[in-house]
Amino acid sequence: MRNFIIFGPPGAGKGTQAQRIADALDLKHLSTGALLREEVSRQTNIGQRVQDLMAKGELVDDNIVDEIIKNKVENSGQVAGFIFDGYPRTISQANYLDVLLAAKALPLILNLEVSAEELSKRLILRGQTTGRADDNQETIKNRLIIYQQQTQPLLDFYASQKRLISVDGQGEIEEVYRRLSDQIK
Ligand code: B4P
């Protein structure tokens, strides 16, 4: 089994690249953002609890996302591996995932590096085309601050364990994909 985490700030291209890597390596793609948005659109209990937080760009409680991931990992049957997208986002989630995967294979972290200016540009463009509730100027600012405070520290955590691969996330989508593929052949 091969497991990966696609990592980076909001707008770095995590969802975009995770889908390609999943297709190429026949991995199960698990995006907590997409799974949470599905809960919101179905107006489940979880959806109702998280929708305001998500619209403001705040992180959802660790327990909620940990539980969602655990269910998906345990109910995916025989798979070649997983690519986690948007998870983990806190040290607590990272520890939880390592315990969950300890008997399988600890994931390698693929980190996309993109400038703050380019991130805002991409998210504002997506907001205009898809109308996603959290892709507006004010929320984007908050998401970037939260990323720096709560998620970025994970880079040191994984680097110290020699599980971190960073690539330049700027340029054409195909170009970024080639950089990632070269690292995981
Ligand atoms: P996510 O859905 O993970 O949102 P995101 O960080 O913006 O990443 P996304 O994958 O959508 O965007 P991408 O970079 O691919 O999370 C949304 C919210 O859910 C969070 O704010 C939080 O509230 C909650 N949440 C999710 N997971 C959580 C967790 N683990 N713990 C707590 N809360 C959690 O792409 C962005 C745009 O850039 C796209 O439009 C894409 O087309 C474009 N793009 C990609 N690559 C490009 C390139 N090379 N050049 C130009 N544009 C590119």
Side-chain angles (χ1 to χ4, degrees):
M1 179 179 246
R2 292 180 85 189
N3 295 317
F4 299 94
I5 293 168
I6 187 100
F7 196 90
K14 300 185 294 291
T16 309
Q17 298 296 337
Q19 193 51 56
R20 275 156 201 261
I21 295 169
D23 290 345
L25 301 183
D26 202 21
L27 304 174
K28 176 105 177 158
H29 174 200
L30 294 179
S31 157
T32 40
L35 292 166
L36 289 167
R37 280 187 291 278
E38 196 184 308
E39 299 278 346
V40 172
S41 79
R42 284 170 40 223
Q43 283 294 292
T44 60
N45 271 341
I46 289 179
Q48 291 178 15
R49 279 166 62 194
V50 304
Q51 67 182 357
D52 289 348
L53 282 173
M54 288 181 74
K56 284 190 277 185
E58 306 282 331
L59 293 187
V60 166
D61 279 359
D62 289 337
N63 296 343
I64 293 179
V65 280
D66 289 345
E67 191 66 24
I68 290 176
I69 286 293
K70 177 170 178 274
N71 286 333
K72 289 286 176 191
V73 167
E74 289 180 350
N75 297 307
S76 286
Q78 281 288 347
V79 291
F82 295 95
I83 182 156
F84 299 92
D85 161 10
Y87 180 90
R89 266 175 153 94
T90 62
I91 294 279
S92 160
Q93 292 176 21
N95 283 319
Y96 185 90
L97 184 64
D98 278 358
V99 172
L100 188 67
L101 296 177
K104 303 181 197 286
L106 287 184
L108 205 59
I109 290 71
L110 306 172
N111 175 41
L112 295 169
E113 294 179 324
V114 177
S115 72
E117 197 190 0
E118 170 75 11
L119 296 172
S120 297
K121 249 197 319 210
R122 289 183 187 178
L123 294 173
I124 285 167
L125 185 68
R126 184 171 65 184
Q128 286 163 353
T129 53
T130 68
R132 218 174 98 168
D134 55 348
D135 284 341
N136 60 71
Q137 205 128 28
E138 198 179 324
T139 306
I140 291 167
K141 226 164 116 190
N142 195 31
R143 285 158 68 196
L144 291 175
I145 292 171
I146 289 176
Y147 171 79
Q148 281 161 9
Q149 290 173 343
Q150 300 193 49
T151 307
Q152 197 161 266
L154 290 181
L155 290 175
D156 288 339
F157 174 84
Y158 288 126
S160 70
Q161 298 175 18
K162 309 223 179 313
R163 291 162 62 191
L164 180 69
I165 296 173
S166 288
V167 307
D168 180 0
Q170 300 201 157
E172 295 293 322
I173 289 173
E174 271 313 313
E175 204 180 322
V176 176
Y177 175 64
R178 267 198 305 278
R179 286 180 204 135
L180 286 167
S181 309
D182 286 347
Q183 295 287 340
I184 59 179
K185 263 187 250 166

